[in-house]
Amino acid sequence: MDVPDIPPFSLRQLAYLVAAADAGTMAAAAERLHVSTSALSDAITELERVTGTRLCVRRRAHGLTLTSAGAHVVGHARPLLAAARELSISLASPDGELSGPLTIACYPTLAPTVLPPLLHDFGAAHPAVELHLLEVTHEELRGRIETGEVDVAFVYETLVPGNPSRARLFELPAHVLVSAGDPLADRATVRLEDVADRDLILLDAPPSSEHTLSLFAARGLTPRIRHRTSSYEAVRTLVGRGLGYGVLVQRPLNPASYEGYPVVMKEIEPAVPPVGIDVIWSSDAAPTPRVRALIDFACSIDWPGRSAS
């Protein structure tokens, strides 16, 4: 019987190198791993010795930079470390039960729609899965799926950092939001030409602001912006008080603002292109069983606007 070759390095050494690459400095990586900087540095030095290759350049004032060989090792080490973690989790789990941590990232404007069924229904079906939530912007999400810090993310189709795997969940066209007392509230539809000269309460959070302005630009219009806010609910509240109108994509069932003022959603005429909402995950390796289960669950939900997908 052939004896498998045993590599001259350990998973711990690989984990230390990956942590240093992600953190950018030895000190920051050591703090994240709760080890001393000297212990982490010594482990990477030993990894370089046994591989016979310089893996990183360390500069006290400029942090740590991977060499081409170091980047190659880190790229191969990530799936190895992920597989080792999954093996440890599976051995500690009852047969057939999904368990272990699962980090979900979501754009803030999508969170009220996407997160409740995941936390309630998926969480109830798989109680041993530890769901961790991150509300992040496009820029804050960048690179975190590739490093494994985020398992799945719920995003708008127009803002997807990197080149992840993805599945479409639903699509929704933007609508105009007005107060119940607005003269436009009695109309069946609203044209953007009807509101361009009125006060706009702009949801100033990517990609919402860019999307709203692009809808007007496509018609040769420039809206008159009265207030900007990064809060979706603040837009609804200001509109409810009659301070202007809004252009939003998400469609909450509650027909009133946070303060209780009634607001009315009006479809835009002519119809505008819908915005797609996707779930994304790493394309570098096959998803773990619990990640696959969450993706399948998300794709099975009867989301609002699902029929348009």
Side-chain angles (χ1 to χ4, degrees), residues 256-278:
S257 71
Y258 185 82
E259 294 182 313
Y261 291 97
V263 292
V264 181
M265 294 183 288
K266 310 305 297 183
E267 301 299 339
I268 298 173
E269 178 68 32
V272 295
V275 176
I277 287 81
D278 294 349

Side-chain angles (χ1 to χ4, degrees), residues 22-243:
D22 290 343
T25 68
M26 293 287 188
E31 183 177 357
R32 290 183 184 180
L33 295 172
H34 305 292
V35 300
S36 68
T37 303
S38 60
L40 185 137
S41 179
D42 290 346
I44 294 177
T45 298
E46 178 63 13
L47 180 60
E48 292 179 317
R49 186 191 70 78
V50 298
T51 58
T53 306
R54 190 179 192 187
L55 302 176
C56 59
V57 178
R58 314 174 205 184
R59 297 186 179 93
R60 184 177 298 275
H62 301 284
L64 175 143
T65 304
L66 292 177
T67 64
S68 59
H72 179 75
V73 171
V74 167
H76 282 274
R78 291 193 193 279
L80 287 175
L81 294 169
R85 285 192 296 270
E86 289 306 308
L87 175 60
S88 177
I89 290 171
S90 66
L91 292 174
S93 303
D95 290 343
E97 182 178 7
L98 296 178
S99 64
L102 199 163
T103 299
I104 301 169
C106 187
Y107 289 169
T109 50
L110 288 175
T113 299
V114 169
L115 294 183
L118 297 181
L119 295 183
H120 184 270
D121 299 337
F122 182 84
H126 304 286
V129 175
E130 305 162 22
L131 297 176
H132 303 282
L133 307 178
L134 292 174
E135 287 190 48
V136 296
T137 64
H138 167 67
E139 287 303 320
E140 292 169 338
L141 179 60
R142 187 179 301 277
R144 298 171 89 168
I145 287 181
E146 290 78 5
T147 63
E149 183 181 352
V150 169
D151 293 304
V152 296
F154 294 88
V155 300
Y156 295 102
E157 61 173 319
T158 55
L159 283 184
V160 180
N163 187 33
S165 299
R166 60 199 295 172
R168 176 61 45 85
L169 297 180
F170 58 97
E171 296 177 342
L172 288 173
H175 61 273
V176 169
L177 189 75
V178 297
S179 68
D182 192 294
L184 296 178
D186 293 329
R187 293 193 185 180
T189 60
V190 171
R191 298 166 64 249
L192 293 181
E193 288 81 359
D194 298 332
V195 296
D197 292 333
R198 303 177 64 183
D199 290 333
L200 170 64
I201 311 299
L202 180 67
L203 178 56
D204 197 10
S208 299
S209 50
E210 292 88 345
H211 177 247
T212 296
L213 296 178
S214 72
L215 295 178
F216 283 94
R219 308 264 179 101
L221 303 170
T222 301
R224 186 174 74 193
I225 302 171
R226 179 176 182 181
H227 296 297
R228 297 172 181 263
T229 175
S230 60
S231 167
Y232 177 86
E233 193 54 50
V235 173
R236 288 170 51 82
T237 298
L238 295 176
V239 169
R241 282 183 171 266
L243 297 180

